[in-house]
Amino acid sequence: METNASTASTTSLESVTIEVADLEAARRFYAAFGVDRHIRLRESEADSTGFRGFTLALTVSGPATVDAFLGAAVDAGATVLKPAAKSLWGYGGVVQAPDGTICKVATSAKKDSGPATREIDEVVLLLGVEDVKASKQYYVGRGLTVARSFGGKYAEFAADDASPVKLALYKRRGLAKDLGVPTDGTGSHRVVLGSTAGAFTDPDGFAWEAATRLDTASPRESAAS
């Protein structure tokens, strides 16, 4: 594993905006799921088929909390893609929101040390890319700082205290396999990343825009709450 000793980043992921067809329905879902403080929503009819190439990955304290989050998602209309189960790395499961976004909830703990909570330890936006090393270097060139890197398999970038979500890269095919979906997909990724470095599009087609305050956003965009 490669680790970057510096955690300072000249560029950071300031916001994650998920594009949805039904803004009000999506707001209700993400509030019920418990991630409304971490993401924004924007109304969009952009074409998108198959795997959109990303997932929201939630890390929580224990298996009971994993089950609680996944249960809340299903109760709010999500579809189970991978039921919660133990693995080599811990315990987790995968669901797909009514708008099509795939969410993974996991813990490194295999046994509970307390009751289920509604607390999220970390939210990571995991982008599936064709070449992790090339994409990592692209983002380093844009001013992001690598926090952790596992060769050509995975890279995670440092986040500042104001960032609600961490950014990480994973091989697209491997990510699809981990989520339990076919790797093929076309059209919009239906996610827009806000940065301190302005607008650009990465080599895998993920769009970035200049981060804005919610109180200056369009009426077609809002927090998920």
Side-chain angles (χ1 to χ4, degrees):
M1 181 185 78
E2 303 169 14
T3 301
N4 192 311
S6 172
T7 57
S9 179
T10 57
T11 302
S12 61
L13 177 61
E14 296 294 306
S15 63
V16 174
T17 301
I18 296 174
E19 297 185 333
V20 300
D22 188 330
L23 186 58
E24 290 306 314
R27 288 181 66 182
R28 291 192 296 270
F29 172 80
Y30 288 105
F33 186 34
V35 299
D36 47 310
R37 294 183 295 106
H38 299 273
I39 63 169
R40 301 180 182 188
L41 300 171
R42 179 182 301 163
E43 191 173 18
S44 173
E45 296 291 344
D47 290 335
S48 181
T49 61
F51 182 40
R52 295 177 184 173
F54 77 94
T55 188
L56 281 177
L58 283 60
T59 302
V60 298
S61 61
T65 300
V66 169
D67 291 338
F69 273 91
L70 295 176
V74 171
D75 289 344
T79 301
V80 175
L81 297 180
K82 293 183 77 171
K86 290 183 180 179
S87 70
L88 180 64
W89 307 108
Y91 182 85
V94 182
V95 295
Q96 186 167 33
D99 65 84
T101 300
I102 297 176
C103 302
K104 180 176 181 177
V105 187
T107 177
S108 59
K110 295 185 179 181
K111 293 183 179 180
D112 288 306
S113 58
T117 73
R118 290 285 287 174
E119 295 181 5
I120 299 172
D121 295 335
E122 185 176 73
V123 178
V124 178
L125 177 66
L126 197 53
L127 304 183
V129 300
E130 291 302 321
D131 188 326
V132 172
K133 288 186 177 180
S135 292
K136 178 179 70 175
Q137 288 307 117
Y138 174 85
Y139 279 115
V140 168
R142 286 282 175 175
L144 276 74
T145 299
V146 177
R148 294 193 298 164
S149 178
F150 295 84
K153 295 182 178 181
Y154 177 85
E156 183 179 292
F157 298 97
D160 60 36
D161 293 339
S163 300
V165 179
K166 282 188 176 181
L167 177 67
L169 309 175
Y170 196 48
K171 190 89 172 166
R172 179 186 171 96
R173 186 174 298 277
L175 181 59
K177 182 179 180 180
D178 181 61
L179 299 174
V181 298
T183 189
D184 296 335
T186 60
S188 173
H189 290 296
R190 300 296 286 269
V191 66
V192 180
L193 293 69
S195 86
T196 55
F200 60 92
T201 300
D202 81 359
D204 292 276
F206 288 100
W208 288 68
E209 64 185 10
T212 59
R213 290 173 54 90
L214 278 176
D215 56 12
T216 62
S218 161
R220 292 166 61 86
E221 178 178 288
S222 71
S225 57

